[in-house]
Amino acid sequence: MAGFSEYARYDALGLAELVASRQVSPAEVLDAAIARTEAVNPKINAVNLKMYDEARARIAAGLPQGPFTGVPFLLKDLGAFYAGFPTSFGSAFYKDFVPRHDATLVERHRKAGLVVFGKSSTPEFGLAPTTEPALFGPTRNPWNLAISAGGSSGGAAAAVAARVLPMAHATDGGGSIRIPAAFCGLFGLKPTRARNPAGPDIGEGWSGLASAHCISVSVRDSAALLDATHGPAPGDPYMAPPPAGSFLREVTAAPGRLKIAVMRRSLWDRPLHAECLKGVEETAKLLIELGHVVEEAAPTLDVAAQSWAFRVIIAANLAANLELRAKALGRKWRPDEVEKVSWEFALEGRKVSGADYALAILIVHAAGRQMAAFFQRHDLLLSATMTEPPQPLGEIDMTCDSVDDYYERQLLARMSVTPLFNMTGGPAMSVPLHWSADGLPIGIHFGTRAGDEATLFRLAGQLEQARPWAARRPMD
Amino acid sequence: MAGFQEYEEYDALGLAALVRRKAVTPVELLDAAMARLARHNPRINAVCHVFEGEARARIAAGLPVGPFTGVPYLLKDLYALYAGQPTANGSRFYQGFVADHDSTLVERLKAAGLVIFGKTNTPEFGLSTSTEPALFGPSRNPWSLAHSAGGSSGGAAAAVAARLLPTAHATDGGGSIRIPAACCGLYGLKPTRGRNPAGPDVGEGWAGMAAAHAVTLSVRDSAALLDATAGPAVGDPYWAPPPGRRFLEALDEKRRHLRIAVMTKAPADVPVHPACTAAVEQAARLLGDLGHRIEPAAPTYEADLLRRAARDIICANVRNGLELRGKALGREPRPDDVEPITWAQAEQGRRLSAADYARATQTVHRISRQILAFFERHDMLLTPALAEPPLRLGELSMACDDLAGYLRRLLQFTPFTAMFNATGQPAAVLPFASTAEGLPIGVQLVARFGEEAELLKLSADLEAARPWFGRRPSLQ
């Protein structure tokens, strides 16, 4: 790469500092990001929409002064509206959908000085823990091109892992920030429900299960971005517990002596793969060395009811959104326009009753209360992000015939605890603390009480110092 | 009546001050309340369940020291669980249901020192704006016994208007605090979504449209009571914006001039009775005299769509409620378990799909943003409380199965309240005028999301300018 050759060595705050001190210009940084995209995207297929001219025009027009002024950024191609550019949701049914206004979150990204230069790929409607939409083809894991980058923010994770950029927008309705972060050896934090704005087109995603934030190399980037984007917007239906102060400051604050519960099986009582278990054990050992208290404990939950409720909410929202799109197009969706599993989920969302949806919400809120009680006894819950190491592409199949099989065997069986924190609304993170014998990243998962990102950032900062991962880079 | 003669001269804070000074004992206050109950309740039928023994036992055991220590209190018989006491929700389907724990709100009311001695009447599941359940019979308006006390907190409002007690618990999912307050000449404030706890059994009511608080004689009681009960509980799904100071203290804050929009036309072209319009015009003039800027303006929003979406949410929740009760009883709910209109709503709820429910919440959030945008330009909105003076008993009967006709009648009476359950904003009704025959007419003030303090301040100013405390029904 010509030009700004050290681009890949900096995190987003590092790049912003170079820009602020005029050692490099936003245009040079963007050129570096574009060069890197052009070099690696043919291999990893992470960026599905390039907005280079738009990015250049924004820079030429003058960027707002913010914590990330001049830092290149990618939006996940799911809901994060950028006026005048398509948002496909990874689906042929939305292929030509072009929003006329920005999402509130995107407004805040821009106000922070970020330079959006493209969109990152997602499985259709974010419904898979892998990113292999029929519309754009599979995103590949930079650590091994035959392996999935995870999902649904797989494009974002692959792009960051390949150092196309140091931090990319991502969303999480059941693990979609944390899973790809785990698969690609990155840091991914899902914030508390309503911490980041969901508007203006919706008040919440998936009845409050979905949160937006980012996947990043460094912990401090994640914290600083959250500082820049969080807070209620006018017209929001409710808010998150306000933080005590800056998240960025938490990253370097001492976490104190935390009481950490460790789970060695999944919520659904499945054993962890030996590599995932090893990651958990090593992390537990490290936590003890760092002075924390680690104790075996798992929350008591009605997992069967929660799995049902989670499915009802996803299916119903999918159906509602497809109906909305159909109304806008003035026609029904065709079988070749949505993938098989999406189609089946949508049918299910129309079959299940509204009373059942009300019950599903009740169950989700009850999970929040149960976990809140658990977190009165423990500060954190430690587990693996997934029960298995990153799987080869093609194993998770949204074209399969049985939605039951897809949901139970392909989705839930691979998850360890991620959707639980979408139900409770509490923040949770995947930290890249382990690599398998064959060199694939294994994410370690921590979740905590609603509103307490501070504890996560403090611990993540400590872990990042103890076991730095930024220098571990694929495709070098 | 023997005993403490001046009982009716005080609001709840006034009575609590007397108890603190030992000028009167909690037992004397309870005696005073019971004497008035014995005297008036046979005519007004406001209280449907009395647990005097429990109240006396709690006094004997020593009351918690709080802002309301020793003040008699009544709970609305709808979802406000009191351990060991029945909760009928105005429905024979819940006859025999005895809670084994307190609701979080009830815990807080007890901790504030209130002496709860019974439950007030409600229409079945709070589904009507007149309180005429088949189970307990109609509550009557103390100002005219042939008239409705409003609903669904009609029992609470009738009890306070008849001066059985100075304030009583009430809930509001579509106007159910404000409507009976208007009918009975009281102050009724519906707080912001999430302000008072809904738990522990649910995370929210009616997808966040329902809020609990009280009907009161004085504005300061409403403020102090909210201070005592507000704030998130462990495991709540989301928060209301923290007020930053105590509501009672806010009443002493320096006032600023507000931009107050005045709306006299009802949504959906519902005709407004001249007495209701006149009260608003009178209030507007007074607010202008107080130095505020008054402008005729109303939010523009998709009123019909919002009303249908809210109705879908209510119907689905009614059906889910029946199913849960059926499960507890080990049988399917039957039409004769509930009143005809309740069954009709449950049936509509059963016919709705989960996708319909998801879309309904999306619609509520989307249209709420349109309404809340109006409050970016206006500090406060003034509207009639009701479109008609209090109805005669029997005009809003749940004993019919013409759901469409019933809902039409509901809308004609109360077109101004439910939209603020959708937005989650605080809204309050103040007694402001009366009809030629002496029935109360209220006006409604609506503040920005989270700004109960501003609402209480303006309410207190109107209360000072046009005191209503001394106006009481004769009940002779």
Side-chain angles (χ1 to χ4, degrees):
Chain A
M1 238 189 305
F4 175 36
S5 56
E6 297 84 31
Y7 171 70
R9 292 225 217 109
Y10 291 92
D11 69 355
L13 286 176
L15 290 176
E17 210 178 295
L18 294 179
V19 169
S21 56
R22 296 178 190 281
Q23 297 176 59
V24 62
S25 72
E28 287 171 306
V29 181
L30 177 63
D31 283 343
I34 290 172
R36 187 74 187 152
T37 309
E38 294 302 312
V40 300
N41 203 50
K43 283 177 243 168
I44 60 173
N45 191 33
V47 180
N48 69 289
L49 178 75
K50 295 168 183 174
M51 298 160 58
Y52 299 166
D53 291 342
E54 167 72 6
R56 289 196 178 103
R58 292 269 171 183
I59 291 173
L63 296 171
Q65 286 305 310
F68 294 108
T69 299
V71 177
F73 201 57
L74 291 171
L75 298 175
K76 183 178 175 182
D77 193 20
L78 186 83
F81 293 171
Y82 190 111
F85 289 84
T87 297
S88 81
F89 300 86
S91 176
F93 197 43
Y94 277 85
K95 207 173 44 172
D96 306 313
F97 172 66
V98 178
R100 277 176 300 199
H101 59 270
D102 290 345
T104 306
L105 185 65
V106 173
E107 281 175 4
R108 293 185 185 180
H109 289 147
R110 288 222 290 244
K111 218 173 137 220
L114 289 164
V115 180
V116 175
F117 72 102
K119 296 244 181 166
S120 68
S121 199
T122 168
E124 192 174 51
F125 307 119
L127 289 177
T130 184
T131 302
E132 307 176 42
L135 183 63
F136 294 115
T139 296
R140 297 173 182 278
N141 193 320
W143 293 88
N144 179 335
L145 298 177
I147 298 285
S148 165
S152 67
S153 310
V160 174
R163 299 303 193 266
V164 165
L165 75 175
M167 164 180 87
H169 165 256
T171 62
D172 189 319
S176 287
I177 287 175
R178 294 160 286 161
I179 295 163
F183 278 26
C184 292
L186 300 168
F187 181 70
L189 181 141
K190 177 201 87 72
T192 299
R193 172 176 303 144
R195 175 71 73 216
N196 269 332
D201 300 280
I202 54 171
E204 58 183 10
W206 288 3
S207 272
L209 266 52
S211 290
H213 186 39
C214 72
I215 289 170
S216 60
V217 176
S218 74
V219 174
R220 66 173 197 160
D221 277 357
S222 183
L225 184 65
L226 199 53
D227 280 334
T229 58
H230 85 85
D236 280 354
Y238 48 75
M239 67 180 281
S246 146
F247 295 116
L248 182 57
R249 264 201 299 274
E250 305 291 359
V251 176
T252 48
R257 188 178 155 92
L258 298 170
K259 282 183 71 176
I260 303 172
V262 57
M263 258 177 82
R264 292 184 174 82
R265 298 177 75 83
S266 84
L267 274 186
W268 295 269
D269 204 33
R270 291 177 67 94
L272 299 182
H273 182 280
E275 285 288 2
C276 300
L277 187 62
K278 196 170 162 206
V280 171
E281 301 296 1
E282 282 174 4
T283 302
K285 219 179 302 165
L286 172 61
L287 291 166
I288 292 166
E289 280 168 31
L290 292 169
H292 303 296
V293 180
V294 177
E295 39 198 14
E296 194 91 23
T300 321
L301 296 163
D302 188 350
V303 178
Q306 285 152 9
S307 304
W308 172 84
F310 185 63
R311 178 166 165 173
V312 167
I313 290 170
I314 293 173
N317 279 279
L318 181 60
N321 290 339
L322 289 182
E323 284 166 11
L324 215 63
R325 175 67 178 155
K327 207 170 139 194
L329 290 175
R331 62 170 181 82
K332 298 262 80 175
W333 59 89
R334 294 188 304 261
D336 63 329
E337 278 178 317
V338 295
E339 297 182 40
K340 180 79 176 149
V341 162
S342 307
W343 175 277
E344 293 291 332
F345 266 134
L347 292 183
E348 194 170 303
R350 292 172 140 189
K351 215 167 56 198
V352 176
S353 79
D356 277 344
Y357 196 97
L359 179 61
I361 300 291
L362 205 65
I363 289 168
V364 162
H365 289 168
R369 290 234 193 266
Q370 288 157 6
M371 286 308 290
F374 181 80
F375 286 122
Q376 289 193 308
R377 302 186 297 275
H378 310 276
D379 292 310
L380 294 156
L381 179 65
L382 158 66
S383 60
T385 306
M386 297 297 268
T387 58
E388 303 275 331
Q391 76 280 351
L393 286 166
E395 261 192 32
I396 291 175
D397 182 12
M398 281 185 65
T399 64
C400 79
D401 281 326
S402 162
V403 71
D404 285 334
D405 178 74
Y406 179 80
Y407 186 67
E408 301 288 339
R409 197 180 57 79
Q410 305 201 42
L411 214 58
L412 298 188
R414 290 171 198 279
M415 291 180 172
S416 175
V417 295
T418 52
L420 178 60
F421 291 91
N422 300 87
M423 288 191 263
T424 68
M429 63 183 180
S430 183
V431 189
L433 290 172
H434 185 67
W435 267 258
S436 70
D438 45 3
L440 286 175
I442 303 287
I444 300 301
H445 190 276
F446 296 89
T448 189
R449 52 187 82 87
D452 197 10
E453 283 93 339
T455 295
L456 291 183
F457 278 126
R458 275 187 235 124
L459 180 68
Q462 187 184 45
L463 292 169
E464 187 182 37
Q465 269 223 307
R467 295 281 186 279
W469 57 77
R472 295 187 76 139
R473 280 186 278 175
M475 304 183 84
D476 258 5
Chain B
M1 257 178 284
F4 177 49
Q5 293 295 336
E6 298 79 32
Y7 177 69
E8 293 174 28
E9 306 303 320
Y10 294 92
D11 67 356
L13 284 176
L15 292 178
L18 293 178
V19 170
R20 256 195 314 278
R21 285 211 313 269
K22 302 198 191 297
V24 64
T25 67
V27 169
E28 288 171 306
L29 292 184
L30 183 58
D31 288 344
M34 288 305 301
R36 282 156 183 81
L37 178 87
R39 186 168 173 205
H40 298 309
N41 202 50
R43 277 185 293 168
I44 61 173
N45 192 34
V47 182
C48 59
H49 181 64
V50 181
F51 36 97
E52 187 184 351
E54 161 76 10
R56 294 204 184 278
R58 284 194 66 238
I59 293 173
L63 294 169
V65 176
F68 293 105
T69 298
V71 177
Y73 206 59
L74 292 168
L75 298 176
K76 182 179 176 181
D77 193 25
L78 186 73
Y79 308 125
L81 304 186
Y82 189 113
Q85 300 299 333
T87 299
N89 303 318
S91 176
R92 54 182 170 262
F93 201 31
Y94 272 84
Q95 266 187 306
F97 172 71
V98 175
D100 62 1
H101 62 275
D102 289 344
S103 295
T104 306
L105 186 69
V106 173
E107 281 176 3
R108 293 183 184 180
L109 292 169
K110 283 180 174 174
L114 289 162
V115 179
I116 300 168
F117 68 101
K119 299 247 185 154
T120 62
N121 203 10
T122 168
E124 192 168 51
F125 306 124
L127 290 175
S128 176
T129 54
S130 183
T131 302
E132 309 177 41
L135 181 63
F136 294 120
S139 290
R140 293 174 183 278
N141 193 321
W143 294 88
S144 161
L145 297 178
H147 283 86
S148 167
S152 65
S153 310
V160 174
R163 306 296 164 105
L164 268 53
L165 73 178
T167 165
H169 165 255
T171 62
D172 190 321
S176 286
I177 288 176
R178 292 161 285 161
I179 294 160
C183 291
C184 293
L186 302 172
Y187 185 66
L189 182 147
K190 177 198 85 71
T192 302
R193 173 175 302 141
R195 176 69 73 215
N196 269 332
D201 302 285
V202 299
E204 60 183 11
W206 290 358
M209 294 194 296
H213 186 38
V215 288
T216 64
L217 284 170
S218 72
V219 172
R220 65 172 200 162
D221 273 0
S222 191
L225 198 61
L226 201 53
D227 283 328
T229 57
V234 173
D236 278 354
Y238 47 73
W239 281 30
R245 76 283 209 200
R246 296 182 67 77
F247 295 114
L248 189 59
E249 284 162 11
L251 296 184
D252 297 328
E253 284 168 2
K254 198 170 156 350
R255 303 301 201 254
R256 61 189 182 91
H257 296 309
L258 303 174
R259 294 187 60 174
I260 302 174
V262 179
M263 165 181 178
T264 45
K265 244 177 74 75
D269 293 323
V270 170
V272 182
H273 190 282
C276 302
T277 315
V280 167
E281 284 161 359
Q282 229 180 332
R285 268 195 304 276
L286 177 55
L287 288 166
D289 292 344
L290 292 172
H292 302 293
R293 180 155 23 131
I294 308 299
E295 358 181 66
T300 38
Y301 67 103
E302 297 156 274
D304 292 344
L305 201 55
L306 179 64
R307 202 169 51 252
R308 275 203 301 276
R311 183 53 49 187
D312 283 352
I313 288 169
I314 292 169
C315 288
N317 278 280
V318 169
R319 177 66 204 173
N320 181 46
L322 295 191
E323 284 177 13
L324 288 176
R325 179 62 179 158
K327 233 177 269 175
L329 294 174
R331 64 173 179 80
E332 284 288 305
R334 293 188 301 256
D336 63 351
D337 286 325
V338 294
E339 298 184 46
I341 280 296
T342 303
W343 186 257
Q345 296 192 61
E347 285 297 284
Q348 187 172 321
R350 178 151 64 170
R351 282 192 296 272
L352 290 169
S353 73
D356 291 333
Y357 192 106
R359 193 179 34 253
T361 49
Q362 286 175 6
T363 301
V364 164
H365 291 159
R366 183 176 60 78
I367 299 178
S368 290
R369 238 186 250 287
Q370 300 169 3
I371 298 169
L372 288 158
F374 177 82
F375 289 86
E376 299 283 291
R377 303 183 297 276
H378 304 276
D379 297 306
M380 204 74 70
L381 173 67
L382 172 70
T383 80
L386 306 168
E388 299 172 72
L391 301 183
R392 292 192 159 268
L393 284 168
E395 276 193 65
L396 249 178
S397 171
M398 288 178 74
C400 73
D401 49 18
D402 171 18
L403 182 57
Y406 175 81
L407 294 177
R408 207 159 41 239
R409 188 68 193 88
L410 210 65
L411 177 67
Q412 281 169 355
F413 180 39
T414 56
F416 292 106
T417 47
M419 60 192 276
F420 305 110
N421 298 84
T423 62
Q425 287 169 279
V429 157
L430 301 86
F432 210 79
S434 48
T435 64
E437 38 181 339
L439 284 165
I441 299 286
V443 298
Q444 176 178 240
L445 284 172
V446 186
R448 293 198 179 101
F449 195 84
E451 293 197 352
E452 284 94 334
E454 294 305 316
L455 184 56
L456 286 159
K457 283 158 66 176
L458 191 62
S459 300
D461 291 346
L462 287 176
E463 183 186 37
R466 289 276 306 265
W468 58 76
F469 192 93
R471 299 187 51 214
R472 61 181 70 184
S474 63
L475 268 172
Q476 293 311 318

